[in-house]
Amino acid sequence: MSSFKRKTTSKTQVLPGTRPSPGSISTTITSTGIPSLDDILGGGLPLTCSLVVAAPDPHSSYGELVQKTFLSQGLACKQDVFVVGGDQDALDWVKGCMWFRDSSSALDEVGDDQKLADEDQKMKIAWRYEQMKQFQTTVGSASTSEDFCRTFELTTRIPASTVENALQSSQLITCDLAADSTSVATPRVITSIEELLSRRLSKAPLRICIPGLGSSAWGDLCGQDILRFLYRLRSLLRQNPLTCASISLDPHISSEAWGGPGWIQRLGWMCDGMITLDAFTTNPSLSNLFPSYHGMVHIHTLPSPHTLLPPSDRFSNLRGLSASTTEGGSSSGENNLAFKCTRKRLIFETMHLDVEGGVGERRTTPAPTAGILDTDQVSRLQSESLPVPASKAALASVQVEIELDPVSTSTAKVPSYNDVTAIEVTHTPKKKPKKTVAFRSDRPDLYDF
Amino acid sequence: MLSPFDLPDGIFLLITDELPSPADFALHQCLISHAKEKKDSLRIVLSVSQSLTKWQSISGKSSVTISQQITAKTFHLIDVSSGLESDKITSDPLHALYEQVAAVLETYSQGPDALVILDDISALEWIGYSTSGLFRLCRALRALCLKNNATLLVRHHIVTPGNLDRLFRDVYSLCTHHLDIQPLTSGRSGAVSGQIALHLGPNASSVQPAIKVRSRSTALQYRLTDGSALFFERGSSRGVL
């Protein structure tokens, strides 16, 4: 019998819905429910960290959408969730969250998608492009396991039974703001979180979800109240290693017009990660210029709880910063990012101009009709019998001259209504200049036209 | 201290940074180089925005073990945020903070070359401490450090570049050196994280050894890694050459 024994590593307790960060083993990350946002954060939101989403557009609610996905992901992966209600009752808000479809229907849909993809695959344009992968502007959920990040659909609501069960098992805890306009609500919310954390026995990660910070239900907040709230929340998170938080700001406090110069910078210093979802609805010219996106994503700061360099800089495919360090710096820097909300989900992706230069329609005005008369029209005009002028004076005053192209007239028959052969000889098609397409072997995702 | 600049001991270094280019690396590098060069000296961190875990994990990447230093009483982290029990913030906690630093320096200082780091003075102002109170804290800390021949580092965030705030002007009037950390105007890049300029402050004396200052036009560029920063001259990064 051999005296050697296999060295077995001690089994560490795996927290539900989490995994180690690719950049640091000591950092545990959890998903926001949006795979592309996870990619921007460097794999997911680290525990002990806070993420602030500012969405300054008052006509849309993309910030709230991120919060709803964050909550749904927490419930789906059996983590504890603490929700602070804003203008709306917290429980009603939870009932409006999205959910994932059951596996059978999801499989059907995957099958349909696969069929469509196969049909697309059949449309080959050249053999030389067969080996090239399709140009991708975002990351899919296929790269992450289902336990870590579910695929939620905006068309599916969270089942009422799921909410009831979560409430009964204390997996879901709600906190409503009392309609007390005389005082600000931030100290009360901090106290509630402190009490919850002090009496908490569960070993599951806790998500703190705060939609619409700064709305009217929070009272008459000033900038200092919000900064102090974020500061105290961050210090609470750091004292509790199994907790993370996601906060969306009310639209009116999401811009510097409210907090003064440097307001967004101050917010960014008071949290671990902060992004702005700048929707195009406030600027119609941008929505015309970028019809396939709904807004731009601005990254202010990113979480890095155990390293100087945020893991996102090394591991985010969408931001593209890692390419410039690994490929000798040939990249121009960080990619521009945008988001779009499809019928089913919110997607963050890299921002590109369309092939035609930014719009789907023709940008130049077409030439006037008189300038493009072809031979058919000319001969039709000739064949039409002009009315005989009534007098000589009229004959002298109206004179129509039509200059015909000598080349065309020499080869063209005068077409009659039943003459089919005339079609063949009316035009000699002009040769268009050949389009040249080149591709770069070192960057297979780029095409040079 | 801080290898590319070789800053002398006993100075008051004001470090300014902006959100795209945080100066965390400068604070950590100062702490690490101090821990390596002066093992028995005292290091005090007034931690406003960074947790002990982060100080430990980044120092650990450079083979500096904070937990051993805590045991040896050469490292003290004072968590400033824990003093915010009450929502009514007055200037009294700042005085208590000063008293705490003075007590630690008096009790545990074994040599003249201690290091005191205040990692985020701006956040204290934003959450409600008065500008004059923070100025008095800096002045008192500076006097304490002069008395003990200790080095003082204070970090301040610039949120409106080109329009400097009152707190910056007050603290700048006390400093001997100013480390100016800026992002690239061309935006984020994987090859270059930012640039550093070093200026002499109003209180720089001729007694202190001369150091090579760098204006913004000759600023040194740097690239962050997980646990440190790489410095290089402008235009000589791997991404440029």
Side-chain angles (χ1 to χ4, degrees):
Chain A
M1 182 179 166
S2 172
S3 60
F4 293 103
K5 284 185 178 178
R6 180 185 288 272
K7 188 180 178 183
T8 54
T9 53
S10 59
K11 282 188 178 177
T12 53
Q13 187 186 359
V14 179
L15 300 168
T18 63
R19 68 181 181 194
S21 169
S24 167
I25 304 169
S26 51
T27 308
T28 307
I29 56 174
T30 188
S31 173
T32 59
I34 304 172
S36 44
L37 181 57
D38 289 344
D39 178 88
I40 291 171
L41 294 172
L45 181 64
L47 296 182
T48 73
C49 287
S50 56
L51 172 70
V52 172
V53 181
D57 175 34
H59 308 295
S60 56
S61 54
Y62 294 114
E64 193 180 319
L65 199 56
V66 174
Q67 297 307 313
K68 285 185 171 175
T69 319
F70 182 76
L71 180 136
S72 299
Q73 174 62 35
L75 291 180
C77 65
K78 306 296 179 193
Q79 294 177 351
D80 293 347
V81 181
F82 178 79
V83 192
V84 180
D87 291 333
Q88 195 179 357
D89 181 64
L91 194 56
D92 290 342
W93 188 84
V94 172
K95 287 174 182 170
C97 290
M98 68 287 292
W99 202 242
F100 54 89
R101 295 173 73 181
D102 58 334
S103 56
S104 58
S105 54
L107 279 175
D108 291 345
E109 189 181 332
V110 168
D112 292 344
D113 290 347
Q114 190 63 40
K115 280 178 188 173
L116 284 172
D118 289 343
E119 285 175 8
D120 287 345
Q121 288 293 320
K122 286 173 188 171
M123 296 170 63
K124 300 293 183 191
I125 55 172
W127 62 269
R128 62 197 297 185
Y129 302 124
E130 268 186 351
Q131 300 301 323
M132 297 174 71
K133 63 178 183 181
Q134 278 190 321
F135 184 66
Q136 290 184 334
T137 57
T138 188
V139 291
S141 56
S143 58
T144 58
S145 67
E146 197 176 62
D147 291 338
F148 183 74
C149 181
R150 291 274 186 174
T151 305
F152 295 101
E153 290 189 5
L154 298 180
T155 51
T156 310
R157 283 280 165 270
I158 186 168
S161 58
T162 306
V163 177
E164 283 299 319
N165 291 338
L167 280 172
Q168 285 174 4
S169 62
S170 298
Q171 187 194 356
L172 174 65
I173 302 159
T174 58
C175 170
D176 283 313
L177 304 173
D180 180 11
S181 61
T182 55
S183 63
V184 296
T186 47
R188 278 180 279 136
V189 174
I190 285 291
T191 308
S192 304
I193 295 172
E194 277 176 333
E195 286 173 1
L196 171 69
L197 292 173
S198 61
R199 63 182 157 83
R200 193 163 174 267
L201 299 173
S202 170
K203 296 294 179 189
L206 171 70
R207 290 174 180 236
I208 298 172
C209 184
I210 304 175
L213 172 63
S215 64
S216 57
W218 288 79
D220 193 12
L221 292 177
C222 64
Q224 188 179 306
D225 293 325
I226 291 172
L227 293 172
R228 197 187 304 170
F229 174 77
L230 292 175
Y231 180 75
R232 296 193 63 182
L233 179 63
R234 186 176 65 179
S235 53
L236 280 176
L237 293 178
R238 287 181 180 167
Q239 292 163 16
N240 295 274
L242 296 181
T243 315
C244 63
S246 178
I247 304 119
S248 65
L249 302 177
D250 203 55
H252 79 282
I253 67 165
S254 297
S255 66
E256 301 219 336
W258 186 79
W263 169 241
I264 297 296
Q265 306 277 317
R266 287 190 190 110
L267 287 170
W269 282 115
M270 286 298 180
C271 58
D272 296 296
M274 181 176 177
I275 60 169
T276 293
L277 305 182
D278 197 0
F280 288 155
T281 46
T282 50
N283 192 344
S285 61
L286 283 175
S287 50
N288 287 336
L289 192 61
F290 302 105
S292 45
Y293 308 108
H294 290 155
M296 287 188 72
V297 180
H298 303 293
I299 298 170
H300 303 291
T301 182
L302 289 163
S304 58
H306 297 108
T307 53
L308 289 174
L309 186 70
S312 168
D313 285 19
R314 287 175 57 198
F315 300 105
S316 172
N317 292 321
L318 290 180
R319 293 180 69 210
L321 281 179
S322 56
S324 57
T325 52
T326 55
E327 295 173 11
S330 60
S331 175
S332 57
E334 189 176 24
N335 292 330
N336 293 321
L337 298 180
F339 67 92
K340 68 179 176 188
C341 188
T342 63
R343 195 171 60 88
K344 290 189 174 178
R345 54 189 66 98
L346 181 68
I347 301 168
F348 294 81
E349 57 185 6
T350 53
M351 193 173 194
H352 301 276
L353 288 172
D354 284 348
V355 176
E356 293 157 7
V359 293
E361 297 173 0
R362 182 177 179 160
R363 302 179 80 181
T364 53
T365 52
T369 318
I372 54 168
L373 280 177
D374 60 3
T375 319
D376 284 354
Q377 291 167 314
V378 169
S379 50
R380 210 172 294 133
L381 280 171
Q382 281 180 335
S383 62
E384 283 176 4
S385 58
L386 293 170
V388 180
S391 64
K392 282 188 178 177
L395 187 65
S397 63
V398 179
Q399 188 174 4
V400 178
E401 288 185 5
I402 298 169
E403 188 177 342
L404 297 176
D405 186 5
V407 179
S408 304
T409 48
S410 61
T411 55
K413 290 179 185 175
V414 178
S416 63
Y417 185 79
N418 292 323
D419 192 356
V420 185
T421 57
I423 297 169
E424 297 172 359
V425 290
T426 48
H427 269 297
T428 309
K430 289 181 180 176
K431 279 192 176 177
K432 289 182 180 177
K434 275 188 177 179
K435 283 184 180 177
T436 56
V437 181
F439 69 94
R440 294 172 56 178
S441 58
D442 56 338
R443 298 292 306 275
D445 53 343
L446 284 182
Y447 298 82
D448 288 337
F449 290 93
Chain B
M1 196 167 56
L2 201 61
S3 56
F5 298 102
D6 293 326
L7 297 169
D9 296 323
I11 60 171
F12 177 6
L13 179 65
L14 171 63
I15 301 174
T16 57
D17 61 357
E18 296 177 31
L19 191 57
S21 58
D24 294 352
F25 73 94
L27 298 173
H28 285 277
Q29 289 231 337
C30 286
L31 182 79
I32 289 165
S33 60
H34 190 270
K36 285 184 173 175
E37 291 165 13
K38 300 177 178 65
K39 287 184 180 176
D40 297 330
S41 294
L42 183 63
R43 286 163 283 280
I44 303 171
V45 175
L46 307 176
S47 181
V48 180
S49 21
Q50 295 194 58
S51 61
L52 176 61
T53 314
K54 186 159 185 176
W55 287 102
Q56 283 178 322
S57 63
I58 292 175
S59 299
K61 292 180 194 301
S62 298
S63 308
V64 173
T65 315
I66 294 284
S67 54
Q68 285 178 359
Q69 294 184 28
I70 293 172
T71 312
K73 308 283 186 191
T74 55
F75 181 87
H76 288 263
L77 186 129
I78 298 171
D79 189 2
V80 180
S81 62
S82 63
L84 299 173
E85 296 299 327
S86 165
D87 285 309
K88 262 198 165 181
I89 295 171
T90 61
S91 60
D92 288 336
L94 296 181
H95 191 262
L97 191 66
Y98 166 76
E99 294 288 345
Q100 210 173 343
V101 177
V104 171
L105 267 174
E106 193 177 339
T107 311
Y108 298 106
S109 184
Q110 296 168 356
D113 300 324
L115 176 68
V116 180
I117 297 176
L118 175 56
D119 74 343
D120 191 350
I121 195 170
S122 308
L124 293 176
E125 185 192 24
W126 297 338
I127 61 176
Y129 287 96
S130 69
T131 308
S132 56
L134 291 167
F135 172 65
R136 279 198 293 271
L137 172 69
C138 282
R139 194 173 57 187
L141 286 175
R142 172 60 181 155
L144 191 66
C145 289
L146 271 177
K147 189 178 164 187
N148 292 280
N149 197 22
T151 304
L152 175 63
L153 308 185
V154 175
R155 175 165 67 160
H156 178 269
H157 303 310
I158 303 286
V159 292
T160 51
N163 186 16
L164 300 172
D165 55 312
R166 190 187 142 200
L167 181 61
F168 169 78
R169 280 185 266 124
D170 288 350
V171 179
Y172 180 74
S173 68
L174 297 172
C175 76
T176 59
H177 298 80
H178 173 211
L179 197 69
D180 182 14
I181 301 176
Q182 289 184 303
L184 295 183
T185 50
S186 54
R188 285 192 182 93
S189 160
V192 185
S193 302
Q195 56 185 17
I196 312 176
L198 179 65
H199 316 285
L200 286 179
N203 281 327
S205 67
S206 56
V207 180
Q208 288 167 338
I211 57 166
K212 188 184 175 187
V213 295
R214 281 179 177 271
S215 63
R216 285 186 173 182
S217 58
T218 59
L220 201 64
Q221 293 188 331
Y222 68 94
R223 177 159 56 89
L224 291 179
T225 61
D226 279 349
S228 63
L230 305 172
F231 299 91
F232 45 86
E233 292 290 338
R234 183 181 284 185
S236 62
S237 76
R238 196 176 55 172
V240 176
L241 295 177

